[in-house]
Amino acid sequence: MRLSQMLFVTLRDDPADAEIPSHKLLLRAGYIRRIGSGVYAYLPLMWRVLQKISQIVREEMNATGAQECLLPQLQPSDLWQESGRWDTYTKAEGIMFSLIDRREQQLGLGPTHEEVITAIARDMIRSYRQLPQHLYQIQTKFRDEIRPRFGLMRGREFIMKDGYSFHTDEDSLKQTYQDMYQAYSNMLRRSGLAFRPVEADSGAIGGSGSTEFMVLAEAGEDEVLYTDDGKYAANVEKAVSLPADAEISQFTTFEKRETPGTETIETVCKFLNASPTQVVKNVLYQTVYDNGLTVLVLVSIRGDQEVNEVKLQNELTKLAPNYSAKTILTLTVPSAETQQIWAAKSLPLGYIAPDIADDYIASNKQIHPKFVRLVDQTAVELKNFITGANESGYHVVGANWGEQFQLATSVVDIRKARPGDRAQHDPQQILKSARGIEVGHIFQLGTKYSQSMGATYTNEQGEEKPLVMGCYGVGVSRLAQSAVEQSYDKDGIIWPVAIAPYQAIVTIPNVNDAQQVEIAEKLYTDLNKSGVETLLDDRNERAGVKFKDADLIGIPYRIVTGRAINNGKVEVVERATRNSQEIPIEEVVTTLKQWIKTATEINH
Ligand code: ATP
Ligand code: MG
């Protein structure tokens, strides 16, 4: 491609609405253009990058025996009613765009395809002899994200590879899951990214686990906790650890103490000259289930620890059947205003004990009359602890479970693991923290969708069983931008060779110099003929402008037909290292082919 003929416009200044380097650079270098909130045009350079990534993804998927297909983006609401996700996706989470067609039929724009694929499996899979099966597609997804941001990182329209597998049993699922783990690792390695697979939260679906593939970058929205021995890495949402040891309490007898103005852990500890590890802190939450019922939740946890709201949400989702509900719509810390709606009398905030009376909850059909009391393991282990006295300005000290306080039936892990904590697998290992961009997620689904949608098969014994499912997603467009986030410098993008839109750019410093032009034209033709994807900067611009643009768009190798041509040579500059050397013109094609081969094969 000739730059003189390309729709190629670069910006000198950072666009105002871009916050992170990769977003700024993709806009400045003319890869993407914002069309609306979370909606971008992929311009020709970007489209080449996306196709290269898609091709790597495709090759790795095909190598596992998965079959490519293309599923509809317009999805009838009936399917989502069957799986029970229509209301959650269109109303509660509101992530699905929905519409009504001229026949008054309701449709959603596919944010994901479990329903569609399960409907197909239900129709087509009858017998264990047809299993396992694995179908995937590479396609635009639509999600009405609350906060679209960072360009392609969190768009409302983006490209995803999603795959779905069907099995007779968990063992077969695990086999495919392992294959996907390997395939995903291969895709990211081949794309030239530094990444880490981490244990992930699989939400309330449960299943036997899920892994996220995190591209390591400061701008990542996710926090990863890991140990240096390489044996543990998890999303902070899911991570577990050993908390620091609690200090031994000096309060050996139970007493109520006046502790004025000590609503926080810090102030009460200062007042009583105690450690937060001796305190049972009681945190109020309010959750609304999908049937509209509000349930108040009291979480008791050790004073120096924090609640992991993802773990809490999972525990509360497990309890949904107790309230004739399926799932949770919201989980919040009740504000002063919302407390007024359900509190029968004013709460002793900051002084609440694990046994605060249920009569604080006003009687109302929409509100469950009792607190759900959850106790974190860290609080259960405490002896002679400090906690609220259910009276403003007072705490109790020297309290014990089974004496002053009944232990709630639900002892759970709802504690947030933190960097600096000791690892569970080896207490010598200390958890460290890194930021990551989630580019892929593989998931053992189990029978959630096959059961709700009635997708069954007949096993060898002639019994009808629900299909066991897995699902596997890679954000192709997010991956592309993550590569930039991991690889740039002050002058622009540095594409990994395997996914660069073009591998080489021939720059003519002076288009009025016939010899420069002639040599450049020949190199351009020869390189492309021999399979090196090459741009020609034949614009009538100053050399400085051309060099700046080549750096900005990040093409791995720049060939300059400058002064060296007098010696039968051209200057070849490697974008990543800025190493520059003069190479005889007739050796350029073979040299570049060799470099490109080496650069991509390292990761292959
Ligand atoms: P996130 O936690 O970032 O919201 P998710 O868990 O909802 O993502 P999945 O449903 O697992 O994502 O989708 C598979 C992959 O699709 C993700 O790993 C990510 O790479 C990509 N992806 C998800 N949402 C977006 C988005 N809004 N924009 C771009 N890529 C996305
Ligand atoms: Mg996710």
Side-chain angles (χ1 to χ4, degrees):
M1 185 77 214
R2 292 164 188 275
L3 279 191
S4 62
Q5 286 162 27
M6 195 165 126
L7 181 60
F8 181 69
V9 180
T10 57
L11 310 174
R12 189 162 313 181
D13 297 317
D14 281 339
D17 55 346
E19 292 161 70
I20 59 171
S22 55
H23 187 198
K24 290 179 189 169
L25 286 170
L26 288 177
L27 285 167
R28 277 186 54 204
Y31 281 81
I32 58 174
R33 202 93 191 168
R34 183 179 180 277
I35 301 299
S37 168
V39 178
Y40 286 84
Y42 311 122
L43 297 173
L45 288 174
M46 192 74 223
W47 187 237
R48 289 181 71 99
V49 173
L50 292 170
Q51 284 185 303
K52 291 211 169 160
I53 295 169
S54 300
Q55 188 53 28
I56 292 174
V57 167
R58 189 173 277 126
E59 284 169 18
E60 292 299 332
M61 292 303 293
N62 291 349
T64 69
Q67 308 150 67
E68 186 168 1
C69 64
L70 191 59
L71 304 171
Q73 284 156 315
L74 273 177
Q75 306 187 3
S77 63
D78 308 6
L79 289 178
W80 288 72
Q81 299 284 8
E82 283 185 53
S83 72
R85 290 209 292 184
W86 180 257
D87 284 341
T88 331
Y89 268 63
T90 57
K91 296 199 192 99
E93 280 196 42
I95 196 118
M96 181 149 72
F97 290 100
S98 61
L99 58 117
I100 294 176
D101 68 16
R102 65 168 91 199
R103 288 173 196 79
E104 299 289 311
Q105 299 296 309
Q106 209 155 22
L107 299 159
L109 280 181
T112 180
H113 281 74
E114 283 83 3
E115 279 77 2
V116 169
I117 197 85
T118 307
I120 294 169
R122 174 173 65 190
D123 287 349
M124 296 182 70
I125 300 176
R126 296 261 167 263
S127 153
Y128 70 93
R129 282 188 222 96
Q130 293 168 280
L131 294 170
Q133 289 289 340
H134 185 174
L135 266 65
Y136 77 95
Q137 58 174 345
I138 300 174
Q139 181 200 56
T140 295
K141 292 280 185 278
F142 298 91
R143 291 188 185 179
D144 195 0
E145 299 278 357
I146 300 184
R147 274 206 304 161
R149 57 180 193 155
F150 299 162
L152 307 187
M153 292 293 194
R154 187 168 295 285
R156 296 200 300 162
E157 187 180 325
F158 58 95
I159 302 176
M160 196 202 288
K161 185 287 295 179
D162 50 328
Y164 307 86
S165 67
F166 298 91
H167 309 266
T168 53
D169 55 32
E170 291 283 331
D171 283 347
S172 167
L173 167 60
K174 285 209 163 71
Q175 181 61 52
T176 299
Y177 184 77
Q178 271 316 314
D179 291 348
M180 283 303 110
Y181 190 102
Q182 191 57 53
Y184 275 45
S185 302
N186 296 348
M187 288 170 198
L188 294 176
R189 197 185 55 252
R190 284 182 60 190
S191 301
L193 292 164
F195 67 98
R196 200 186 270 279
V198 306
E199 285 177 25
D201 172 54
S202 40
I205 301 171
S208 347
S210 82
T211 302
E212 285 168 342
F213 289 80
M214 295 287 185
V215 166
L216 303 172
E218 267 313 303
E221 288 184 340
D222 287 282
E223 184 181 3
V224 172
L225 296 178
Y226 67 96
T227 54
D228 277 335
D229 64 359
K231 291 192 178 137
Y232 187 73
N235 190 313
V236 69
E237 293 176 351
K238 162 87 178 178
V240 293
S241 66
L242 299 172
D245 291 330
E247 287 180 29
I248 303 216
S249 171
Q250 76 267 35
F251 302 106
T252 46
T253 46
F254 178 73
E255 258 178 79
K256 178 170 158 184
R257 295 266 184 103
E258 188 171 3
T259 55
T262 61
E263 284 82 7
T264 63
I265 297 291
E266 198 189 338
T267 49
V268 72
C269 286
K270 202 159 171 207
F271 190 91
L272 293 171
N273 190 23
S275 151
T277 62
Q278 303 161 348
V279 180
V280 169
K281 141 170 107 176
N282 304 288
V283 194
L284 263 180
Y285 284 92
Q286 167 174 348
T287 187
V288 181
Y289 283 101
D290 57 347
N291 55 5
L293 187 71
T294 294
V295 175
L296 296 151
V297 183
L298 189 69
V299 172
S300 301
I301 189 166
R302 208 173 79 184
D304 62 320
Q305 300 297 319
E306 287 163 72
V307 177
N308 176 330
E309 292 186 1
V310 174
K311 290 184 184 176
L312 175 60
Q313 173 145 0
N314 290 343
E315 291 300 331
L316 292 170
T317 306
K318 280 191 220 156
L319 298 178
N322 299 357
Y323 307 104
S324 317
K326 281 204 196 93
T327 179
I328 283 180
L329 299 187
T330 60
L331 173 64
T332 48
V333 173
S335 65
E337 293 95 67
T338 51
Q339 278 170 37
Q340 277 174 2
I341 298 171
W342 58 263
K345 48 190 176 176
S346 125
L347 288 149
L349 295 175
Y351 303 92
I352 291 178
D355 64 350
I356 185 144
D358 291 324
D359 66 7
Y360 276 97
I361 304 174
S363 121
N364 177 328
K365 267 209 289 301
Q366 290 296 305
I367 301 172
H368 188 68
K370 292 187 160 151
F371 287 103
V372 171
R373 297 168 201 270
L374 299 174
V375 184
D376 183 71
Q377 188 62 37
T378 51
V380 175
E381 286 160 7
L382 293 188
K383 303 261 179 295
N384 297 324
F385 55 81
I386 300 162
T387 196
N390 287 330
E391 186 179 338
S392 280
Y394 291 88
H395 279 85
V396 296
V397 300
N400 283 291
W401 299 107
E403 293 175 17
Q404 293 80 23
F405 296 103
Q406 289 310 306
L407 199 49
T409 38
S410 312
V411 175
V412 287
D413 168 27
I414 34 182
R415 178 182 150 263
K416 201 169 177 178
R418 289 186 293 220
D421 286 348
R422 294 164 299 166
Q424 284 197 349
H425 75 277
D426 175 0
Q428 304 288 348
Q429 293 287 323
I430 301 301
L431 294 188
K432 292 187 170 173
S433 165
R435 307 290 317 171
I437 302 164
E438 179 204 320
V439 293
H441 197 166
I442 62 174
F443 213 99
Q444 301 182 36
L445 276 177
T447 55
K448 178 184 155 80
Y449 295 94
S450 51
Q451 245 159 6
S452 58
M453 296 182 67
T456 59
Y457 73 99
T458 308
N459 72 9
E460 246 173 306
Q461 287 73 43
E463 300 156 330
E464 194 168 322
K465 295 274 178 194
L467 289 162
V468 177
M469 289 175 62
C471 71
Y472 320 93
V474 183
V476 170
S477 45
R478 185 184 283 184
L479 192 161
Q481 189 174 325
S482 311
V484 179
E485 196 57 43
Q486 242 181 19
S487 181
Y488 65 90
D489 63 15
K490 66 178 191 354
D491 297 317
I493 299 170
I494 304 172
W495 285 110
V497 178
I499 61 172
Y502 290 89
Q503 295 151 347
I505 179 166
V506 178
T507 304
I508 312 172
N510 177 5
V511 287
N512 299 319
D513 180 323
Q515 201 193 353
Q516 284 190 14
V517 173
E518 189 191 331
I519 292 169
E521 289 279 354
K522 180 158 189 329
L523 278 173
Y524 170 65
T525 310
D526 291 350
L527 282 165
N528 275 313
K529 256 195 207 141
S530 73
V532 179
E533 299 161 62
T534 306
L535 281 170
L536 178 65
D537 193 350
D538 56 347
R539 294 174 300 167
N540 189 7
E541 291 281 0
R542 283 184 293 112
V545 170
K546 295 184 180 183
F547 295 156
K548 267 210 162 66
D549 278 344
D551 280 350
L552 181 61
I553 64 175
I555 306 302
Y557 304 106
R558 183 176 81 208
I559 299 145
V560 188
T561 55
R563 243 172 260 129
I565 57 174
N566 298 326
N567 308 322
K569 292 182 174 175
V570 286
E571 185 195 14
V572 183
V573 186
E574 190 186 12
R575 173 69 183 86
T577 58
R578 298 200 173 283
N579 282 340
S580 154
Q581 47 188 295
E582 292 187 352
I583 293 180
I585 293 168
E586 61 283 4
E587 287 172 23
V588 167
V589 172
T590 46
T591 310
L592 274 187
K593 281 189 77 166
Q594 190 51 49
W595 287 357
I596 290 162
K597 191 160 172 255
T598 313
T600 46
E601 274 183 359
I602 283 179
N603 295 323
H604 208 98

